[in-house]
Amino acid sequence: MDNQQKRNIMAEEIWLNYFNTYLYEHKLITEEQRNKMRNEITFRCNRKRKQADRDRER
């Protein structure tokens, strides 16, 4: 995975976590929904990292 891909995935992860926190702090989602989304964001970004590594190995 090159540096640009790493930066893009990290930026996406930071933005999604920020927005998720914003929604929770403004009481637009519940704590349960916030926690579920945290996990989904982590899984999504980790999956993208693994896929980028696999693509690079080819």
Side-chain angles (χ1 to χ4, degrees):
M1 176 178 1
D2 66 13
N3 284 337
Q4 186 61 42
Q5 284 176 311
K6 287 180 186 179
R7 277 183 256 152
N8 289 344
I9 294 168
M10 187 179 294
E12 178 181 0
E13 187 172 19
I14 290 168
W15 165 248
L16 290 171
N17 279 312
Y18 165 79
F19 190 61
N20 190 41
T21 301
Y22 174 88
L23 293 174
Y24 175 69
E25 287 175 352
H26 288 83
K27 302 196 185 319
L28 298 170
I29 61 174
T30 65
E31 183 177 7
E32 183 179 328
Q33 290 170 316
R34 178 195 64 172
N35 293 339
K36 182 177 180 184
M37 283 308 300
R38 275 184 182 171
N39 289 333
E40 293 295 328
I41 292 165
T42 299
F43 291 139
R44 173 190 171 104
C45 292
N46 286 341
R47 187 171 52 241
K48 283 187 168 192
R49 287 181 183 103
K50 288 177 186 175
Q51 185 61 46
D53 285 340
R54 278 190 227 116
D55 291 346
R56 190 174 139 248
E57 290 174 357
R58 292 181 189 175

